[in-house]
Amino acid sequence: MGSNNQSNQIAEYLGTVILSGFPAVENLAALYHISISKLMRDFKSTFQTSPYLYFRRLQMEFAEEYIRSTGCSKKQMAFMLGFSNPANYTLCYNRYLRNKEEKNNHEKANDDLTERNHILISQFPLPVAMLDKNMNYLLVSKQLLSVCSLPDVDLIGKNFFDLFPGKGTDLDLLKRRVLKGEIDTLAGDYDFYIDGTLLKSTVNPWYDDVGEVGGMILFVTTY
């Protein structure tokens, strides 16, 4: 049984006992026949949190929906979820709401940034493309489409090597390095030929919000 599948099963089980209280980690480990350390490690890897905090979030999600649909009081909700002190429930629930609002605001900011980047790159007056780690197109400028004689082609989601019409040893080299998983070291200058015309290009990595390489940006410098 794969660790991710087992962690998902544990998560599903926790969803069935949100009104019964959190089962001890020792009990979860015994139930799924794994060590406590492996359970904690695999669960954290899958859900980026501990089983206990995941369980608490499930409880707060249930509380939010139940309060909205029934109008029950916080005290009633605290009792239903097994909190001995309603004040502890209130603290937990308010923290959940704050975290949810912060997450929503962060996602909205990212969505706004993505849209601005899309507009910026698509209208950029130079041939440039943004690609993911598998060299699939994320964003493409109209100028690049024009240079590559692809004015009416929607490249988004398509693979660079499937639809880029160029030829040359540098293109073959780039493809071999991507297939070998060398995305982190691809930065450099590459020459391509399209219909006999030389395109001098520069490839550089772009980084996600945790500082890891998210893909590449290709910029045609001479055409």
Side-chain angles (χ1 to χ4, degrees):
M1 181 184 296
S3 59
N4 283 349
N5 182 48
Q6 196 166 51
S7 295
N8 285 325
Q9 288 187 5
I10 293 172
E12 290 177 5
Y13 172 73
L14 291 175
T16 68
V17 296
I18 57 175
L19 300 182
S20 305
F22 179 72
V25 174
E26 294 84 351
N27 294 338
L28 287 174
L31 181 63
Y32 288 91
H33 309 291
I34 56 176
S35 68
I36 294 175
S37 60
K38 179 171 174 55
L39 184 153
M40 297 294 288
R41 182 175 63 252
D42 291 347
F43 198 94
K44 180 97 180 264
S45 175
T46 302
F47 295 102
Q48 290 74 58
T49 191
S50 68
Y52 177 76
L53 292 179
Y54 183 88
F55 174 79
R56 277 292 188 230
R57 189 175 72 217
L58 290 179
Q59 284 191 314
M60 296 305 104
E61 289 172 350
F62 170 81
E64 182 181 26
E65 180 59 32
Y66 194 82
I67 290 172
R68 179 167 49 238
S69 61
T70 67
C72 80
S73 68
K74 292 181 179 180
K75 186 175 182 179
Q76 289 172 319
M77 195 73 252
F79 176 78
M80 186 181 299
L81 294 178
F83 282 81
S84 58
N85 186 342
N88 291 337
Y89 160 76
T90 299
L91 287 172
C92 190
Y93 186 64
N94 288 342
R95 186 184 306 116
Y96 159 76
L97 292 179
R98 284 196 306 272
N99 290 340
K100 181 179 179 181
E101 182 178 7
E102 290 173 0
K103 180 180 178 182
N104 288 340
N105 289 339
H106 180 68
E107 290 177 349
K108 184 178 185 303
N110 283 342
D111 289 343
D112 291 344
L113 180 60
T114 298
E115 180 62 22
R116 289 197 298 272
N117 286 343
H118 187 283
I119 294 172
L120 174 64
I121 291 182
S122 65
Q123 297 182 4
F124 200 62
L126 292 171
V128 61
M130 185 176 185
L131 307 120
D132 65 15
K133 295 180 73 169
N134 296 313
M135 297 296 280
N136 296 316
Y137 288 99
L138 298 174
L139 301 170
V140 185
S141 73
K142 294 179 181 178
Q143 185 68 17
L144 181 69
L145 295 175
S146 176
V147 166
C148 296
S149 301
L150 299 169
D152 299 320
V153 179
D154 181 8
L155 295 181
I156 306 304
K158 308 295 194 306
N159 191 268
F160 174 80
F161 299 109
D162 291 338
L163 290 174
F164 188 77
K167 296 181 180 180
T169 56
D170 279 5
L171 188 64
D172 295 336
L173 172 63
L174 188 61
K175 185 173 184 178
R176 287 197 302 272
R177 294 184 67 186
V178 169
L179 292 176
K180 289 180 180 179
E182 299 176 359
I183 191 74
D184 291 2
T185 59
L186 287 184
D189 297 326
Y190 297 85
D191 292 345
F192 310 129
Y193 288 88
I194 294 181
D195 295 330
T197 300
L198 173 65
L199 303 183
K200 287 186 171 295
S201 305
T202 296
V203 172
N204 282 308
W206 60 268
Y207 298 88
D208 61 22
D209 56 2
V210 295
E212 296 181 355
V213 175
M216 307 304 296
I217 292 178
L218 179 139
F219 174 50
V220 177
T221 56
T222 305
Y223 53 96

